[in-house]
Amino acid sequence: MTLVTIWLPFRNRMVTIQPNREDAVFRAIADPTRREILKLLRHGRLTVREIAANFQISRPAISKHLRLLRKASLVVSYKDGTASICGLNPQPLKTVNNWLEDYRALWGESLRSLKRYIEEPQNQKKENR
């Protein structure tokens, strides 16, 4: 796990923050390139070269993205000869799913309210005019 040290000028102090695994997952999926890498890996394991072929950025840049995805445990990799094979580990995405669960309930209630409003007889009468 990476420690992040921040200097706070207004307090004249150094603060060390130890990011947790959940934060690492959210940081990892915040970037569109990393989300696209995860999307590619949903279909099966790929080499770093095969992943990089889908982007117009350098292989070292893809390797940096993969390193961050590995730190978040979203990607697992192993060596096969000289090739690095990467695979998806979807388990940490449960953190995102759990976080979204409360919002799903909110969205569901909003949609049910809209449905009730549309289906009310008085609103149907207005439409017939």
Side-chain angles (χ1 to χ4, degrees):
M1 189 170 295
T2 306
L3 293 176
V4 178
T5 303
I6 301 171
W7 180 67
L8 300 174
F10 56 89
R11 301 235 185 205
N12 202 19
R13 294 185 196 187
M14 297 288 276
V15 176
T16 300
I17 301 170
Q18 187 171 7
N20 63 29
R21 181 74 67 194
E22 290 178 2
D23 290 342
V25 172
F26 283 101
R27 270 195 309 280
I29 64 170
D31 183 84
T33 301
R34 291 190 288 270
R35 289 193 306 269
E36 187 63 28
I37 290 171
L38 293 174
K39 185 177 176 182
L40 290 169
L41 292 174
R42 279 193 325 212
H43 303 291
R45 295 178 180 160
L46 297 171
T47 65
V48 174
R49 178 182 294 221
E50 291 169 331
I51 292 169
N54 289 278
F55 299 94
Q56 293 184 357
I57 59 176
S58 67
R59 278 184 59 187
I62 291 297
S63 292
K64 286 182 181 180
H65 285 295
L66 286 167
R67 190 170 25 256
L68 202 145
L69 289 167
R70 279 192 300 270
K71 281 185 179 182
S73 299
L74 289 165
V75 168
V76 292
S77 61
Y78 63 92
K79 288 283 192 181
D80 184 14
T82 58
S84 288
I85 311 294
C86 299
L88 176 66
N89 175 24
Q91 187 68 27
L93 290 174
K94 286 187 175 186
T95 298
V96 178
N97 186 52
N98 293 340
W99 183 78
L100 285 172
E101 198 60 42
D102 293 333
Y103 294 96
R104 281 190 194 100
L106 178 67
W107 296 327
E109 183 54 39
S110 295
L111 290 173
R112 283 188 293 278
S113 294
L114 176 61
K115 182 179 184 227
R116 281 192 303 269
Y117 176 78
I118 290 172
E119 291 175 348
E120 284 180 3
Q122 64 189 12
N123 294 325
Q124 290 176 356
K125 290 177 187 175
K126 288 179 187 177
E127 289 177 6
N128 291 334
R129 291 182 189 174

